[in-house]
Amino acid sequence: MKTGVVFDIKRYALHDGPGIRTTVFFKGCPLRCVWCHNPEGQSPFPELLVRPARCLEACHLCLETCPETAALKVQNVVRVDRRRCRVCGSCADSCPSEALALVGRRLSVEEAAEEIFRDEPFFRQSGGGVTFSGGEPLMQAEFLAELLRACRSRGVHTAVDTSGHVPWMSLESIREDVGLFLYDLKMMDDRRHRELTGVTNAVILENLVRLVRSGSRVVVRLPLLKGVNDGPDHVEAAAQRLSRLGGIERVDLLSYHALGRDKYGRLSRPEWAADFFPPTPGDLERIKKRIQAFGLEVRLGG
Ligand code: SF4
Ligand code: SF4
């Protein structure tokens, strides 16, 4: 039985496909979007999250537990020497205040499916199901494929939220077990796409065409940041391309939010290079109308 690394399972999600959904977040992503709000989804491996503000002054449990002497206290606050840390998770298990936490746990297909199936009554009542997200779920394509098969054989609706930056073979291998693809399109200009995500958009655009032509149901999601990709150059180029392609179920406009900002420090990662802002509600309405003018159905939010 395959195993995979998952960093979160969120119940009662309302924006990741139809009805009430359970969203399973896979670890590992081939993109490095400069605005990423899930930086803990980028590395394929488990990571140690440190929240010094939660550390209890009189406690030294992690120092006693750590086999590598990587957990330290500086001025009564926990610090982790990342060069020594092996991410074994012992300190997180012993921490009474969740100042230390392990993100990413390895689950078998059976274990993950069991967690998903717990919510079946909500799926049935609401027309919902499970959404596989990340990170990029197709980075763990075999684990994902087995989970999708398990869900489909149980009659649970499945959605996959993908960056599209994956080998076509991976998409092809899961296509028939996916009820709906949520397909991200971040930037139409390839040079800007490379600057902002670290990868070309050529594979993403190519896979989108193949996916739609193969008959899969696809909702395209446009994450929008003010002054970055909310201008006509991106929005109209995307709308034009999608309307020519035909067969897209809908376009969802996802407004940027900064909720992931604190996570960078907790993972000892460099901070964001720039401040980003969401488009205003007026901007979003204008963008919606512009895309609708190309004959596409558009929704604000996921
Ligand atoms: S994860 Fe393991 S090695 Fe790293 S600080 Fe915690 S106990 Fe030490
Ligand atoms: S175990 Fe938790 S609360 Fe105790 S010293 Fe370590 S980080 Fe702080």
Side-chain angles (χ1 to χ4, degrees):
M1 179 73 70
K2 286 266 169 295
T3 63
V5 182
V6 161
F7 69 89
D8 200 5
I9 297 183
K10 272 208 177 95
R11 323 207 109 86
Y12 317 118
L14 296 172
H15 302 289
D16 294 329
I20 296 175
R21 311 200 65 86
T22 294
T23 305
V24 182
F25 293 87
F26 283 39
K27 248 180 145 325
C29 185
L31 274 64
R32 290 292 179 269
C33 303
V34 290
W35 60 79
C36 178
H37 62 268
N38 278 337
E40 74 275 43
Q42 293 177 349
S43 158
F45 307 109
E47 289 171 278
L48 187 67
L49 208 85
V50 186
R51 300 181 189 98
R54 291 200 187 182
C55 182
L56 310 173
E57 197 177 322
C59 174
H60 292 86
L61 283 171
C62 57
L63 278 64
E64 289 158 20
T65 319
C66 177
E68 306 296 328
T69 56
L72 316 160
K73 284 202 81 162
V74 179
Q75 292 174 338
N76 289 325
V77 169
V78 70
R79 291 277 182 270
V80 171
D81 181 347
R82 299 270 181 189
R83 290 163 306 178
R84 301 177 77 100
C85 173
R86 288 188 295 107
V87 199
C88 67
S90 307
C91 56
D93 289 343
S94 68
C95 178
S97 64
E98 295 185 358
L100 298 169
L102 204 60
V103 264
R105 52 188 172 129
R106 187 166 283 283
L107 295 176
S108 67
V109 171
E110 215 167 41
E111 288 165 332
E114 200 182 307
E115 287 206 37
I116 294 163
F117 296 157
R118 247 192 265 158
D119 298 329
E120 269 185 302
F122 300 104
F123 303 158
R124 273 197 297 274
Q125 278 167 26
S126 67
V130 61
T131 299
F132 298 104
S133 183
E136 168 54 66
L138 281 141
M139 288 274 283
Q140 303 183 63
E142 290 181 24
F143 176 58
L144 175 64
E146 280 200 23
L147 258 177
L148 283 165
R149 279 195 290 275
C151 293
R152 292 290 276 199
S153 65
R154 185 102 164 201
V156 170
H157 179 267
T158 57
V160 169
D161 179 9
T162 179
S163 67
H165 191 76
V166 294
W168 168 248
M169 293 280 287
S170 303
L171 279 166
E172 171 83 280
S173 70
I174 60 162
R175 211 181 52 72
E176 290 190 352
D177 290 314
V178 179
L180 179 68
F181 281 96
L182 305 171
Y183 202 99
D184 295 350
L185 208 50
K186 298 169 200 292
M187 186 68 70
M188 291 302 287
D189 179 81
D190 192 39
R191 186 185 59 80
R192 285 291 283 153
H193 196 280
R194 285 170 194 263
E195 279 171 13
L196 293 164
T197 71
V199 302
T200 174
N201 65 11
V203 182
I204 296 168
L205 294 170
E206 217 174 275
N207 280 340
L208 177 61
V209 174
R210 294 173 95 161
L211 207 52
V212 172
R213 292 205 175 136
S214 65
S216 291
R217 287 182 59 202
V218 180
V219 166
V220 171
R221 301 176 123 187
L222 304 184
L224 294 170
L225 294 87
K226 193 167 182 60
V228 175
N229 59 2
D230 65 340
D233 47 341
H234 171 63
V235 170
E236 277 176 32
Q240 199 168 56
R241 179 78 73 107
L242 296 175
S243 83
R244 269 202 216 128
L245 174 59
I248 298 285
E249 192 152 312
R250 199 180 62 234
V251 178
D252 286 351
L253 306 181
L254 308 182
S255 191
Y256 164 78
H257 64 76
L259 295 177
R261 180 144 219 164
D262 291 347
K263 295 178 186 173
Y264 285 77
R266 293 174 195 160
L267 292 163
S268 305
R269 300 264 187 86
E271 286 293 334
W272 279 329
D275 275 327
F276 296 109
F277 300 95
T280 64
D283 292 336
L284 287 171
E285 276 304 326
R286 271 191 296 280
I287 292 169
K288 183 178 173 185
K289 285 196 183 116
R290 250 187 233 143
I291 299 175
Q292 281 172 330
F294 285 85
L296 295 159
E297 188 187 331
V298 186
R299 193 162 84 181
L300 297 182

